[in-house]
Every structure is written in C-alpha cells, then in structure tokens.
C-alpha cells in the first residue's frame, strides 16, 4: 500500500530520492501516488482481470469488443501519464527515481503479464521503464515480477 511505502521511507530514512524532502519534488510524487489509484492501477488491473483472471475462473474467453474497450481505457491513462507526469523528464519527480516511478512501473507490469506489451509502441514509456529498471537493478526487477510475468502458465 502507498501508506506503508511512505511509512517505510520515513522510518528507515531511505535515500532522499525515493521520497524527496524537496517540497516541489515531493508534491510531484504525492500527486502521482494520489492519481494512480483510479487511473494506472484501476485501468491496468481491469485489463489484467478481464484478460487473465475472468477467463481462468469462467473457462470462457473474453469477447473481443469487451477487451478492446478495456484496452482503450488503459491507453487513455497511459497517454495522460506520459503527458502529465513524465513530460520530458527522466523520472516522474525529475532527474532521480522515486517511489512514484516504482509504484507506476509495478502497476504497469500487470497488463504486460496479461500479454499486452504497452511499452512496444511508446518509446518514451519504454525508455522510462529502462531507467527505472536500471535504478532498481535489472535482476531484482525481474525477480520481483517473475510471478506476474509468468501468470499465463497457470
């Protein structure tokens, strides 16, 4: 949860870039963390649920028109994310990775795990992903997402 992440950042005095002490940078992190619940998380989870979990539970594939609608909803918020939060910066809060970037990428990995490569036709988003992975460490990133990226093996 976001509340736990913020608590841990404060309690364990993590490096400043994760949850910046600079008020403007912190406001950007907080803004994204508030926005993402019904946008990136909401639309990304919806695609994951409708494309993977519902067919798994019902034994029925999702009607293509339903999947198209859910995918379009996600595409709209991805465009907003790029335009409003990434803009022309390396990371959401500026030049360093933050909790906002970490939360964003984790949420975006659900649709990827469902087989929707949302980075494929979005070079700005793909470059941002690469930077976040490098900041976290590629091996740790892969370990953390192993389960979601192999969900189709159920």
């Amino acid at each position: 949860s976001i509340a736990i992440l913020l608590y841990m950042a404060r309690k364990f005095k993590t490096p400043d870039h994760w949850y910046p002490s600079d008020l403007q940078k912190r406001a950007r992190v907080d803004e994204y963390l508030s926005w993402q619940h019904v946008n990136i998380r909401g639309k990304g989870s919806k695609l994951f649920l409708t494309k993977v979990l519902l067919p798994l539970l019902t034994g029925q594939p999702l009607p293509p028109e339903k999947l198209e609608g859910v995918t379009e909803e996600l595409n709209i918020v991805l465009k907003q994310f790029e335009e409003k939060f990434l803009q022309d910066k390396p990371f959401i809060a500026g030049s360093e990775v933050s909790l906002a970037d970490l939360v964003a990428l984790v949420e975006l990995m659900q649709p990827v795990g469902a087989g929707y490569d949302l980075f494929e036709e979005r070079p700005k988003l793909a470059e941002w992903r690469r930077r976040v992975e490098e900041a976290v460490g590629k091996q740790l990133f892969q370990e953390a997402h192993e389960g979601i990226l192999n969900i189709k093996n159920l």
Side-chain angles (χ1 to χ4, degrees):
S1 99
I2 300 302
I4 294 298
L5 283 175
L6 297 180
Y7 168 79
M8 289 173 42
R10 292 173 183 130
K11 178 175 172 84
F12 297 108
K13 297 177 178 62
T14 60
D16 191 67
H17 65 87
W18 289 114
Y19 194 55
S21 57
D22 176 276
L23 290 180
Q24 287 184 322
K25 290 179 182 178
R26 182 174 283 195
R28 288 296 286 170
V29 171
D30 289 339
E31 178 185 29
Y32 175 77
L33 294 176
S34 294
W35 178 85
Q36 65 92 27
H37 291 289
V38 295
N39 292 287
I40 296 290
R41 177 178 288 169
K43 307 307 183 209
S45 295
K46 187 174 181 181
L47 187 133
F48 181 79
L49 290 170
T50 55
K51 191 170 181 183
V52 176
L53 291 183
L54 287 177
L56 189 64
L57 294 172
T58 65
Q60 301 285 321
L62 190 68
E65 62 277 0
K66 175 95 171 161
L67 186 56
E68 285 176 25
V70 171
T71 303
E72 184 53 34
E73 288 177 4
L74 178 58
N75 287 332
I76 289 168
V77 298
L78 290 173
K79 184 176 184 210
Q80 291 171 346
F81 176 67
E82 285 184 309
E83 291 174 356
K84 305 292 182 198
F85 291 98
L86 289 182
Q87 299 167 347
D88 292 321
K89 302 175 304 220
F91 300 101
I92 293 171
S95 61
E96 293 183 288
V97 68
S98 71
L99 286 177
D101 299 287
L102 192 62
V103 169
L105 189 49
V106 165
E107 296 295 344
L108 293 177
M109 295 310 290
Q110 283 190 38
V112 171
Y116 179 56
D117 188 355
L118 50 88
F119 300 102
E120 186 176 22
E121 294 181 16
R122 292 182 180 85
K124 180 188 284 192
L125 205 59
E127 276 301 305
W128 166 79
R129 174 189 174 171
R130 182 192 57 74
R131 288 189 295 272
V132 175
E133 280 186 42
E134 285 179 4
V136 172
K138 287 185 181 250
Q139 183 176 347
L140 178 60
F141 182 86
Q142 289 301 319
E143 286 176 28
H145 293 92
E146 187 176 349
I148 197 77
L149 294 176
N150 293 315
I151 197 76
K152 288 197 162 203
N153 295 336
L154 286 176

